[in-house]
Amino acid sequence: MNSPGNRLPNGHFVITLDFELYWGVRDSRSFESYKENILGVWEAIPAMLESFSRHGIKVTFATVGFLFCRNKKELLHFFPEVLPDYPDKSFSPFENKYMDKIGDSERQDPYHYAPSLVELLMEHPEHEIGTHTFSHYYCLEGSSNEAFRADLESARDIAATYGIRLESIVFPRNQYSPEVLQICRQAGITSYRGNEEAWAYHPRNGASLTSAIRLMRLVDSYINLTGHHCAELKPPPPGEPLNIPSSRFLRPFHQKLKFADGLKLRRIKQSMTHAARKNLCYHLWWHPHNFGKNLKENIATLDAILEHYSFLRKKYGFESITMKQLTTKFNNDGQPRQSHRGKEKSH
């Protein structure tokens, strides 16, 4: 069940994309096995932007800070003052001489740099560029809060060189804690993508993500095991950003699961309809590299989802909105009047 909150006058459709290139899978997939997906991002993002424009969709691109860097010199310059101190050094891109392996610029290394894609996103002001931390930082893998704070400062500083003010965050591997939420709010972050309420989706480190949990999540993508996960937003605890919780991860096309694509699509559409009818928030997310292969099939699925959104918009006033926009709207319209005291202004 969703916790009671202050209901907004209509339902909202939020999409967040975890934009990370190879930084997001560096510790879990070999370069050779996944480079096609990563290189495919350069076609996938323009294709998705075209689909979003055609359907009037607004999206939050949660972007790893490394991707903003125009060259290796700039990347090294923006290193955090306190580096991650994970017990497992493989989680850190600053360890094991990993930086020696990357190229000097986007032209040489489109797997680790993406300033031109950031600039492309900026040509679409209807979308928001948020943060996915600077280094694809894992908050539940044993590193210190001081290292997380430094990482977030680096993300903020490199984004500022583009004139971007970061106001929303998506946590890598969906790992977060009350302590890091406090740090985010102190850094000017006003919203984050929380996890679904069901037990299988609770924030946990990699060692706790068992095969049984993964299987339950997979089946839940096709058959409704845990509910619609449509949220009624509620005021955050003091000192924390607004939680705009996830509803569903959009799983990419897979040849072996092609037979179940209709179930996956129906699962998403039914929950979107529930959100639109009940004036709730439906939050869909994926990674651009999920569309890096089988782009045609993935865009067809996306178009089907967005066509359903268009139907719900006309029938129920369902509204596509970024995380930043929804936070502003909630602060203005969804909370009691006294909650406006001390609210920061947004640019």
Side-chain angles (χ1 to χ4, degrees), residues 41-62:
V41 170
W42 294 84
E43 292 185 33
I45 285 185
M48 288 188 289
L49 287 173
E50 195 279 329
S51 183
F52 295 147
S53 295
R54 191 165 65 250
H55 294 93
I57 298 295
K58 302 173 182 178
V59 174
T60 294
F61 286 81

Short mmCIF file of all heavy atoms in Angstrom, two decimals, residues 41-62:
data_model
loop_
_atom_site.label_atom_id
_atom_site.label_comp_id
_atom_site.label_asym_id
_atom_site.label_seq_id
_atom_site.Cartn_x
_atom_site.Cartn_y
_atom_site.Cartn_z
N VAL A 41 24.37 3.32 -27.51
CA VAL A 41 23.75 4.47 -26.84
C VAL A 41 23.76 5.69 -27.75
O VAL A 41 22.84 6.53 -27.71
CB VAL A 41 24.47 4.77 -25.51
CG1 VAL A 41 24.02 6.11 -24.92
CG2 VAL A 41 24.22 3.64 -24.52
N TRP A 42 24.78 5.80 -28.60
CA TRP A 42 24.91 6.98 -29.46
C TRP A 42 23.80 7.03 -30.51
O TRP A 42 23.50 8.12 -31.03
CB TRP A 42 26.29 6.99 -30.10
CG TRP A 42 27.35 7.19 -29.05
CD1 TRP A 42 27.92 6.24 -28.25
CD2 TRP A 42 27.89 8.44 -28.62
NE1 TRP A 42 28.80 6.81 -27.37
CE2 TRP A 42 28.80 8.17 -27.57
CE3 TRP A 42 27.70 9.75 -29.03
CZ2 TRP A 42 29.51 9.16 -26.93
CZ3 TRP A 42 28.43 10.75 -28.39
CH2 TRP A 42 29.31 10.46 -27.36
N GLU A 43 23.19 5.91 -30.82
CA GLU A 43 22.00 5.90 -31.67
C GLU A 43 20.74 5.90 -30.84
O GLU A 43 19.71 6.46 -31.24
CB GLU A 43 22.01 4.66 -32.57
CG GLU A 43 23.10 4.64 -33.63
CD GLU A 43 22.97 3.44 -34.54
OE1 GLU A 43 21.83 3.01 -34.80
OE2 GLU A 43 24.00 2.94 -35.00
N ALA A 44 20.79 5.26 -29.67
CA ALA A 44 19.59 5.10 -28.86
C ALA A 44 19.08 6.43 -28.31
O ALA A 44 17.86 6.69 -28.32
CB ALA A 44 19.86 4.14 -27.70
N ILE A 45 19.97 7.29 -27.84
CA ILE A 45 19.51 8.56 -27.25
C ILE A 45 18.82 9.44 -28.28
O ILE A 45 17.72 9.95 -28.03
CB ILE A 45 20.66 9.27 -26.51
CG1 ILE A 45 20.92 8.55 -25.18
CG2 ILE A 45 20.34 10.75 -26.28
CD1 ILE A 45 21.94 9.20 -24.29
N PRO A 46 19.39 9.67 -29.48
CA PRO A 46 18.64 10.45 -30.48
C PRO A 46 17.30 9.82 -30.83
O PRO A 46 16.30 10.53 -31.02
CB PRO A 46 19.59 10.47 -31.68
CG PRO A 46 20.95 10.35 -31.08
CD PRO A 46 20.77 9.40 -29.94
N ALA A 47 17.25 8.48 -30.92
CA ALA A 47 15.99 7.81 -31.24
C ALA A 47 14.96 8.00 -30.13
O ALA A 47 13.78 8.24 -30.39
CB ALA A 47 16.23 6.32 -31.48
N MET A 48 15.40 7.92 -28.87
CA MET A 48 14.49 8.14 -27.76
C MET A 48 14.02 9.59 -27.70
O MET A 48 12.84 9.86 -27.45
CB MET A 48 15.17 7.73 -26.45
CG MET A 48 15.33 6.23 -26.29
SD MET A 48 15.92 5.73 -24.65
CE MET A 48 17.62 6.29 -24.70
N LEU A 49 14.93 10.52 -27.93
CA LEU A 49 14.55 11.93 -27.94
C LEU A 49 13.49 12.21 -28.99
O LEU A 49 12.53 12.97 -28.75
CB LEU A 49 15.77 12.82 -28.18
CG LEU A 49 16.77 12.94 -27.03
CD1 LEU A 49 18.01 13.71 -27.48
CD2 LEU A 49 16.13 13.64 -25.82
N GLU A 50 13.61 11.58 -30.14
CA GLU A 50 12.62 11.76 -31.19
C GLU A 50 11.27 11.22 -30.76
O GLU A 50 10.23 11.84 -30.97
CB GLU A 50 13.09 11.07 -32.47
CG GLU A 50 12.33 11.47 -33.73
CD GLU A 50 11.02 10.74 -33.88
OE1 GLU A 50 10.92 9.58 -33.42
OE2 GLU A 50 10.07 11.32 -34.45
N SER A 51 11.27 10.05 -30.12
CA SER A 51 10.03 9.46 -29.63
C SER A 51 9.41 10.32 -28.53
O SER A 51 8.20 10.56 -28.51
CB SER A 51 10.30 8.05 -29.11
OG SER A 51 9.11 7.42 -28.67
N PHE A 52 10.24 10.81 -27.61
CA PHE A 52 9.73 11.68 -26.54
C PHE A 52 9.10 12.94 -27.13
O PHE A 52 8.02 13.37 -26.70
CB PHE A 52 10.86 12.06 -25.59
CG PHE A 52 11.46 10.91 -24.82
CD1 PHE A 52 12.81 10.91 -24.48
CD2 PHE A 52 10.69 9.83 -24.44
CE1 PHE A 52 13.37 9.87 -23.78
CE2 PHE A 52 11.24 8.77 -23.72
CZ PHE A 52 12.59 8.79 -23.40
N SER A 53 9.76 13.54 -28.11
CA SER A 53 9.23 14.77 -28.73
C SER A 53 7.90 14.49 -29.42
O SER A 53 6.97 15.30 -29.33
CB SER A 53 10.24 15.33 -29.73
OG SER A 53 11.43 15.75 -29.08
N ARG A 54 7.81 13.37 -30.10
CA ARG A 54 6.60 13.03 -30.84
C ARG A 54 5.40 12.85 -29.92
O ARG A 54 4.26 13.14 -30.30
CB ARG A 54 6.85 11.76 -31.64
CG ARG A 54 5.76 11.43 -32.66
CD ARG A 54 6.22 10.40 -33.65
NE ARG A 54 6.47 9.10 -33.03
CZ ARG A 54 7.67 8.55 -32.88
NH1 ARG A 54 8.75 9.20 -33.29
NH2 ARG A 54 7.82 7.36 -32.32
N HIS A 55 5.66 12.42 -28.68
CA HIS A 55 4.55 12.15 -27.76
C HIS A 55 4.43 13.19 -26.65
O HIS A 55 3.62 13.02 -25.74
CB HIS A 55 4.73 10.77 -27.13
CG HIS A 55 4.61 9.64 -28.12
ND1 HIS A 55 5.70 9.10 -28.77
CD2 HIS A 55 3.52 8.97 -28.58
CE1 HIS A 55 5.28 8.12 -29.57
NE2 HIS A 55 3.98 8.02 -29.48
N GLY A 56 5.24 14.24 -26.70
CA GLY A 56 5.15 15.28 -25.68
C GLY A 56 5.60 14.84 -24.31
O GLY A 56 4.99 15.20 -23.29
N ILE A 57 6.69 14.10 -24.25
CA ILE A 57 7.18 13.52 -23.00
C ILE A 57 8.37 14.32 -22.46
O ILE A 57 9.25 14.74 -23.22
CB ILE A 57 7.62 12.06 -23.22
CG1 ILE A 57 6.43 11.21 -23.67
CG2 ILE A 57 8.26 11.47 -21.98
CD1 ILE A 57 5.33 11.07 -22.63
N LYS A 58 8.38 14.50 -21.15
CA LYS A 58 9.49 15.16 -20.45
C LYS A 58 10.21 14.13 -19.60
O LYS A 58 9.57 13.35 -18.89
CB LYS A 58 8.96 16.30 -19.59
CG LYS A 58 8.19 17.34 -20.38
CD LYS A 58 7.53 18.37 -19.46
CE LYS A 58 6.72 19.38 -20.25
NZ LYS A 58 6.04 20.36 -19.38
N VAL A 59 11.53 14.14 -19.65
CA VAL A 59 12.33 13.08 -19.04
C VAL A 59 13.45 13.66 -18.19
O VAL A 59 14.00 14.73 -18.51
CB VAL A 59 12.93 12.18 -20.15
CG1 VAL A 59 13.88 11.15 -19.58
CG2 VAL A 59 11.81 11.49 -20.93
N THR A 60 13.79 12.97 -17.12
CA THR A 60 14.98 13.31 -16.33
C THR A 60 16.10 12.35 -16.70
O THR A 60 15.97 11.13 -16.54
CB THR A 60 14.68 13.22 -14.83
OG1 THR A 60 13.72 14.23 -14.48
CG2 THR A 60 15.95 13.43 -14.01
N PHE A 61 17.20 12.91 -17.22
CA PHE A 61 18.39 12.12 -17.55
C PHE A 61 19.36 12.21 -16.38
O PHE A 61 20.07 13.21 -16.22
CB PHE A 61 19.04 12.65 -18.83
CG PHE A 61 18.30 12.32 -20.09
CD1 PHE A 61 17.21 13.09 -20.50
CD2 PHE A 61 18.68 11.25 -20.88
CE1 PHE A 61 16.52 12.79 -21.67
CE2 PHE A 61 18.00 10.94 -22.05
CZ PHE A 61 16.92 11.71 -22.45
N ALA A 62 19.39 11.17 -15.55
CA ALA A 62 20.31 11.12 -14.42
C ALA A 62 21.68 10.70 -14.95
O ALA A 62 21.87 9.54 -15.35
CB ALA A 62 19.81 10.14 -13.37
#
